[in-house]
Structure formats: structure tokens, C-alpha cells
Amino acid sequence: MARIAVVTGGSRGIGEAISLALKDMGATVVANYCGNDEKAREFTARTGIPAYKWDVGDHQACLDSCAQIAEEVGPIDIVVNNAGITRDGTLARMQYCDWDDVMRVNLGGCFNMAKATFPGMVERGWGRIVNIGSINGQAGQYGQVNYAAAKSGIHGFTKALAQEGAKKGVTVNAIAPGYIDTDMVAAVPAPVLEKIVAKIPVGRLGHAEEIARGVAFLCSEDAGFVTGSTMSINGGQHMY
Ligand code: NDP
């Protein structure tokens, strides 16, 4: 039977590419989104992948929506925690709400989705969780203390939960993308982006599909021995 996968923020950007890659792999995919109804409708019409609307930063909404998906589609085998936001600014300008929103969605979302799905995976003896971190969680970035802290937290969260799942058939991994050509990066001012691209050894932004292929591998049967790891897909930037 096909594995059932939930991709948060799965209806556009990197998440859209992940939803499609998992579908191509034979999974039954459900995409989550939060605000952009029009894009979600267009995505579902084009791909046939249903889109469920909820805020991953809302703990109860994650529990309720995952229970609804389990009832309507089936038990969730694969979760890709991809939903993420930025609220950039130097510390002097950053407000508490900018810190809180980013922590709540980017890091809190991973906890909320794990609470909703990890116990079922353990019970059934098979599961895959992939958390989307960031190069800026590994290296830090000017004007992103909130985002860098949340993404860095994802890497610790991944390693800790991987230890809980290791003997139960549940793997937990992270991917740390470099700069990828999506709406999120389109929001970076052009002169800043030019400087960023100049520092990428491969000499260009990444494509969402290049992240999605890594996610698909980590979610596959073949990746059962890969857990607690972070795959950096960044065009050679920040090598270590
Ligand atoms: P986009 O801004 O293009 O898309 C973000 C997605 O997340 C959208 O689908 C959005 O839903 C969803 N989302 C936002 N907030 C919530 C929420 N509270 N609940 C549920 N869904 C939500 O981002 P990218 O595709 O660029 O990024 C995807 C992930 O990759 C993020 O975690 C990001 O931090 C990470 N990343 C991106 C990089 C890049 O260069 N683009 C680099 C490194 C990491 P909706 O459509 O409804 O708005």
C-alpha cells in the first residue's frame, strides 16, 4: 500500500516540489498550507494533491488536522516539516512578535507535527520525518537572529528525536538548503541577492526540485539506515 505523506507548506515553493517528488515516488500526498488559498486551489487542480489549511504553529490545529487526515486519507507515515517564514531585521529593530512568530512556526511547527504523528509511526514500526532547516541555521545570518535560532534548533530537534525513533523504524533527518529560487528569496533585495549568489561556488541559486530529490531519498525505503543526519544542499556554500 502507498505510504501516506504530509508536506507542510506543501502547495508552493520548495514544498510544492517536495509534494510532487513524493507523489512521483508513489506516496499518497497531502499538502498543508496556511494563507494562500488561491495558490492552494490552483495547486490541487493541477496536481490532484489535496491541500489542507491550518497553521503549523498552532499545536491543537496540528493535532486536529492530522487526526482528520488519518481518518479521511489514512495513517500518516511520512511528515516533511517544510513550512517556514522570515521576519528579518537587526536585533535593534526586531520586535518580540517577529521572534515569537518565527520560533512558533519554524521550530514549534516541527514539535507540533511530531506530537501529532510520531507516536503512530512508532506504533506501526515505520516512519519518516524530514525537517527543512537552513544554511542560515548552520552559519548564522545578519538580520536573522530569530530565523537562524529557529533553524539551528531544528537541527538539534532532529538529532534528539532521531534517537527516540531509531529502534522503532522511524528515521528523523534534516535538510539544510542553501539559497533556493522561491518567493522567499525573491523577497531579498536585488543588490543583496547578487552578493549572496557571488558567494555560491556553483554560481547560481538552487532549484526547489534539487531539495525535493534529497527529501524523496530520505523518505524512501532505501534510507532506513540514515537517521539524525543533516543533508546540506547548497551549491557548495559553507562547506564543512
Ligand atoms: P515560501 O515562502 O515560498 O513558502 C512557504 C510555505 O510555507 C508556503 O506554502 C506557506 O503557505 C507555508 N507556511 C507559512 N507559514 C505557515 C504556517 N504557519 N502554517 C502552515 N504553512 C505555512 O518558502 P520556501 O519554499 O522558500 O521555503 C520552504 C522552506 O525552506 C522554509 O522552511 C524555509 O525556511 C526553508 N528554506 C528556504 C530557503 C530558500 O532559499 N528559499 C533556504 C533555506 C531554507 P501559504 O502558501 O499558505 O502562504
Side-chain angles (χ1 to χ4, degrees):
M1 220 175 87
R3 301 289 187 191
I4 296 173
V6 175
V7 182
T8 70
S11 62
R12 68 187 172 89
I14 294 173
E16 172 177 359
I18 294 170
S19 296
L20 290 170
L22 294 180
K23 186 181 177 201
D24 282 354
M25 205 174 81
T28 300
V29 180
V30 172
N32 145 268
Y33 74 105
C34 183
N36 196 331
D37 295 313
E38 195 186 325
K39 177 64 198 178
R41 265 195 301 274
E42 182 273 320
F43 165 83
T44 297
R46 181 164 42 83
T47 64
I49 297 172
Y52 284 58
K53 183 176 183 176
W54 80 89
D55 174 2
V56 297
D58 179 335
H59 185 71
Q60 195 58 46
C62 286
L63 298 181
D64 294 345
S65 301
C66 289
Q68 187 189 348
I69 291 166
E71 205 174 297
E72 293 175 3
V73 185
I76 298 168
D77 303 302
I78 298 169
V79 170
V80 183
N81 286 309
N82 164 78
I85 57 171
T86 49
R87 298 282 184 273
D88 295 353
T90 57
L91 184 70
R93 288 174 185 271
M94 193 174 286
Q95 301 300 311
Y96 180 75
C97 60
D98 301 322
W99 168 266
D100 195 44
D101 284 351
V102 167
M103 294 303 282
R104 193 179 59 81
V105 172
N106 295 13
L107 186 55
C110 295
F111 174 79
N112 296 337
M113 288 300 294
K115 284 293 282 184
T117 59
F118 183 78
M121 294 177 188
V122 166
E123 209 176 287
R124 293 186 300 280
W126 197 94
R128 298 282 186 263
I129 295 180
V130 179
N131 303 313
I132 305 299
S134 170
I135 189 170
N136 293 349
Q138 297 171 306
Q141 179 61 278
Y142 185 91
Q144 285 199 326
V145 291
N146 52 0
Y147 185 83
K151 292 299 192 180
S152 186
I154 283 180
H155 299 301
F157 174 87
T158 298
K159 288 179 187 183
L161 191 61
Q163 292 179 29
E164 295 186 28
K167 286 203 166 52
K168 319 278 185 187
V170 182
T171 68
V172 186
N173 291 288
I175 287 195
Y179 286 84
I180 310 299
D181 192 8
T182 67
D183 294 346
M184 187 180 271
V185 163
V188 176
V192 178
L193 198 55
E194 264 172 43
K195 282 187 192 151
I196 289 171
V197 173
K199 286 188 187 146
I200 303 174
V202 166
R204 61 167 174 85
L205 295 175
H207 305 304
E209 293 72 20
E210 292 174 308
I211 304 302
R213 282 194 280 275
V215 174
F217 168 68
L218 292 173
C219 293
S220 69
E221 304 292 334
D222 289 342
F225 200 57
V226 185
T227 197
S229 74
T230 295
M231 188 190 282
S232 296
I233 306 180
N234 59 25
Q237 201 179 359
H238 188 58
M239 293 188 202
Y240 66 69

